[in-house]
Amino acid sequence: MNAPTTTVLVVEDEESFVEALTAGLGREGFRVQVARDGAQALMLFSAVAPDLVLLDVMLPKVSGIDVCREIRKTSKVPIIMVTAKASEIDTVVGLEVGADDYVAKPYRVRELVARIRAVLRRAHDAEPVGDDVTGEVLTVGDVSLDPERHEVLIRGEDVSLPLKEFELLALLLANAGRVLPRDTLIDRVWGHDYVGDTKTLDVHIKRLRAKVEEDPSSPSRIVTIRGLGYKYERPKAPKPGDDPAG
């Protein structure tokens, strides 16, 4: 059982889901606060300081995507998005604005509770990404990442990355030239007890490629190693006698 001080802010406008979640999460020891639209969610978030937000995408007044975006401006509190269907666009946008996980309706309360507990554990036990990532600036070619300042420079320009994209890029850069299996990437960035869809990793890789690659349709930096995982390629050193001007 969770301590009664663990508060979940449920943002949901369908009364049947509100009733089921209030009862189900209450039985598991969570304190539940309910907001029935996006505007109320933002007010309650500031008032109750929840430990986790369970956030429906489709909401009156302010959408769940916009609520997530606003929360991420000031807080790293875990957010699980709830979608009417597991469409790729909902998933991509939700993860892009900083959601930690997502579930699709209809869902089983038991599965949802397992995801809530896993996300809370990862947030509580958060540690540096990977054994090779230190506080030093990571630089591979024209991409630099500063773990302490949470800053990324790509081709000389500051690029803002959501937390999971930042952690994934840090792990890839720290292990540039090495193949990182999919399971390793998921374990290091989302935690060994992650129970969500493995497509989450592919979505984040796609988003990173859009920012890092010169031609995202033909990636040459973050490359797929079929049957294994991904690798961040080191820039090839020029051969003796090569003319850099072409």
Side-chain angles (χ1 to χ4, degrees):
M1 294 283 287
N2 292 276
T5 52
T6 302
T7 300
V8 176
L9 175 58
V10 173
V11 189
E12 173 63 69
D13 65 322
E14 294 185 45
E15 198 58 38
S16 60
F17 281 97
V18 170
E19 293 176 359
L21 287 169
T22 301
L25 295 180
R27 283 196 301 270
E28 295 295 328
F30 293 101
R31 176 184 297 158
V32 179
Q33 295 283 340
V34 178
R36 288 176 169 80
D37 61 58
Q40 186 183 21
L42 292 172
M43 288 189 293
L44 269 178
F45 180 81
S46 298
V48 305
D51 299 287
L52 179 139
V53 180
L54 185 64
L55 179 61
D56 194 37
V57 171
M58 302 297 293
L59 293 170
K61 297 184 180 180
V62 180
S63 75
I65 295 297
D66 287 335
V67 170
C68 184
R69 186 179 287 115
E70 286 300 311
I71 289 174
R72 278 293 172 260
K73 289 180 180 178
T74 59
S75 174
K76 293 182 180 179
V77 68
I79 298 174
I80 298 178
M81 301 289 289
V82 180
T83 63
K85 56 183 183 299
S87 64
E88 184 177 356
I89 187 63
D90 281 348
T91 303
V92 169
V93 175
L95 295 173
E96 181 183 358
V97 297
D100 296 272
D101 198 0
Y102 70 94
V103 294
K105 293 179 179 177
Y107 50 76
R108 295 181 178 178
V109 173
R110 180 177 298 178
E111 177 193 356
L112 181 62
V113 167
R115 292 198 182 196
I116 288 174
R117 285 175 172 161
V119 170
L120 286 170
R121 277 197 299 272
R122 291 198 298 273
H124 182 266
D125 300 331
E127 56 186 38
V129 185
D131 299 334
D132 302 294
V133 179
T134 66
E136 297 181 0
V137 175
L138 301 168
T139 301
V140 180
D142 55 13
V143 176
S144 293
L145 180 148
D146 188 332
E148 292 188 353
R149 295 175 179 271
H150 198 87
E151 293 177 348
V152 177
L153 280 177
I154 300 177
R155 292 180 283 279
E157 295 186 6
D158 287 311
V159 176
S160 177
L161 295 181
L163 180 60
K164 293 303 181 187
E165 285 183 31
F166 184 90
E167 293 179 345
L168 181 57
L169 181 59
L171 187 56
L172 288 166
L173 291 176
N175 293 278
R178 296 170 55 191
V179 178
L180 294 178
R182 293 175 59 86
D183 288 348
T184 297
L185 290 166
I186 291 172
D187 286 352
R188 296 285 187 87
V189 177
W190 284 271
H192 69 276
D193 53 0
Y194 177 67
V195 293
D197 195 326
T198 56
K199 286 193 307 181
T200 296
L201 173 60
D202 301 323
V203 168
H204 280 74
I205 291 290
K206 182 178 179 181
R207 300 300 306 177
L208 277 178
R209 282 173 170 163
K211 296 161 184 171
V212 170
E213 300 282 356
E214 294 181 353
D215 180 6
S217 65
S218 181
S220 61
R221 302 183 181 204
I222 304 175
V223 298
T224 302
I225 308 300
R226 291 193 177 278
L228 290 175
Y230 295 99
K231 176 173 68 169
Y232 196 101
E233 291 280 17
R234 291 187 176 278
K236 290 182 172 62
K239 296 179 182 178
D242 282 354
D243 182 357

